[in-house]
Amino acid sequence: ISGRLPAPVEVLELDVTNVDHLGGLATAVTRVVPHLDGVLHSIGFAPESALGGNFLKYDWLHYYLPEDLADARKRHGVERGWLSAGIDPTFGGEGSDPDFMSIFVIEVCGNEGFAVAHLNVRMGVQSQGARIHSFLAPLRPSRVQLEEVAKNGYVYNDLKNHVRSNLPIQVVRPETNMKGNKQVRFMQMAPRFETAQVRIPGRMDGGNLVAHHDWLDFVTAWTAFPAGHDDLLDAAYWAI
């Protein structure tokens, strides 16, 4: 890795389980630099094939069966966990090709998250308010995060004033420092899937637990990123 840098650097070997390495660390560092402004220690690991733009292409996803969700509810003493929904609305698309409207819903039991519902459809701006309400109202989510470019934009006003929805909607706006860099946003989300804090519905296939048929569109969006349509991933980000 040091060979990729624009100028040669000295690499200091440090094995924290080696007493001699730790004992000579201060001397070794002061030989190279006069002082340290700070130290960053990362205990995380990812194979090289998962680094850079490929972090979502790696097989981070974990799956669950219905009995896994039932067990989590029982362990935490609840009939149903806390439901959080994220919405990435359509903003019109181009010409006769409407954009996707995506919804992602997770059920949280303690520190465990289970994706329980999602929707990813092409539709026009005018009809999405009613579709959002009809999809989410039966689920009775505790929180709904709606991405809008304005504080109370078109979709929010449509839901509140036209559809008369009573969904607990919170309008969220893309972080200023992340505009144009969705990889940063998704890198914040990826560890939740990597560590199985959020799992996707699965099914048994020849003794292997694989993605449920109904969730293959999410798996496709995940593994294709940053290519393809990422609307469903945006919705997942806001739900999480």
Side-chain angles (χ1 to χ4, degrees), residues 16 40-46 194-195:
V16 294
L40 172 65
H41 176 222
S42 173
I43 60 173
F45 168 79
E194 172 191 354
T195 58

Short mmCIF file of all heavy atoms in Angstrom, two decimals, residues 16 40-46 194-195:
data_model
loop_
_atom_site.label_atom_id
_atom_site.label_comp_id
_atom_site.label_asym_id
_atom_site.label_seq_id
_atom_site.Cartn_x
_atom_site.Cartn_y
_atom_site.Cartn_z
N VAL A 16 0.42 -5.59 17.92
CA VAL A 16 0.09 -5.21 19.30
C VAL A 16 0.20 -6.38 20.27
O VAL A 16 0.16 -6.19 21.49
CB VAL A 16 -1.33 -4.60 19.38
CG1 VAL A 16 -1.39 -3.29 18.63
CG2 VAL A 16 -2.38 -5.58 18.85
N LEU A 40 -5.04 7.33 14.62
CA LEU A 40 -6.28 6.67 14.26
C LEU A 40 -6.03 5.18 14.21
O LEU A 40 -5.17 4.71 13.47
CB LEU A 40 -6.80 7.16 12.89
CG LEU A 40 -8.01 6.41 12.32
CD1 LEU A 40 -9.22 6.62 13.21
CD2 LEU A 40 -8.31 6.88 10.89
N HIS A 41 -6.78 4.44 15.01
CA HIS A 41 -6.64 2.99 15.03
C HIS A 41 -7.94 2.37 14.56
O HIS A 41 -9.00 2.62 15.14
CB HIS A 41 -6.31 2.49 16.45
CG HIS A 41 -6.24 0.98 16.54
ND1 HIS A 41 -6.77 0.28 17.59
CD2 HIS A 41 -5.70 0.07 15.71
CE1 HIS A 41 -6.57 -1.01 17.40
NE2 HIS A 41 -5.92 -1.16 16.26
N SER A 42 -7.87 1.58 13.52
CA SER A 42 -9.06 0.92 13.00
C SER A 42 -8.96 -0.58 13.25
O SER A 42 -7.95 -1.21 12.93
CB SER A 42 -9.19 1.17 11.49
OG SER A 42 -10.26 0.40 10.97
N ILE A 43 -10.01 -1.13 13.85
CA ILE A 43 -10.02 -2.58 14.08
C ILE A 43 -10.87 -3.28 13.04
O ILE A 43 -11.07 -4.48 13.09
CB ILE A 43 -10.55 -2.91 15.48
CG1 ILE A 43 -11.99 -2.40 15.65
CG2 ILE A 43 -9.65 -2.34 16.57
CD1 ILE A 43 -12.64 -2.83 16.95
N GLY A 44 -11.41 -2.50 12.10
CA GLY A 44 -12.23 -3.11 11.06
C GLY A 44 -11.37 -3.77 10.00
O GLY A 44 -10.18 -3.51 9.86
N PHE A 45 -11.99 -4.67 9.23
CA PHE A 45 -11.28 -5.35 8.16
C PHE A 45 -12.23 -5.54 6.99
O PHE A 45 -13.40 -5.85 7.19
CB PHE A 45 -10.75 -6.71 8.60
CG PHE A 45 -10.26 -7.55 7.44
CD1 PHE A 45 -9.01 -7.31 6.88
CD2 PHE A 45 -11.07 -8.53 6.88
CE1 PHE A 45 -8.58 -8.05 5.80
CE2 PHE A 45 -10.62 -9.27 5.80
CZ PHE A 45 -9.37 -9.04 5.27
N ALA A 46 -11.71 -5.37 5.82
CA ALA A 46 -12.47 -5.69 4.61
C ALA A 46 -11.47 -6.17 3.57
O ALA A 46 -10.37 -5.62 3.45
CB ALA A 46 -13.22 -4.47 4.09
N GLU A 194 -23.39 -5.49 7.15
CA GLU A 194 -22.20 -6.33 7.29
C GLU A 194 -22.22 -7.09 8.61
O GLU A 194 -21.83 -8.26 8.69
CB GLU A 194 -20.96 -5.47 7.20
CG GLU A 194 -19.65 -6.20 7.52
CD GLU A 194 -18.50 -5.23 7.67
OE1 GLU A 194 -18.68 -4.03 7.42
OE2 GLU A 194 -17.42 -5.70 8.03
N THR A 195 -22.65 -6.42 9.69
CA THR A 195 -22.65 -7.03 11.01
C THR A 195 -24.00 -7.65 11.37
O THR A 195 -24.22 -8.04 12.52
CB THR A 195 -22.30 -5.97 12.08
OG1 THR A 195 -23.25 -4.90 12.01
CG2 THR A 195 -20.89 -5.42 11.84
#
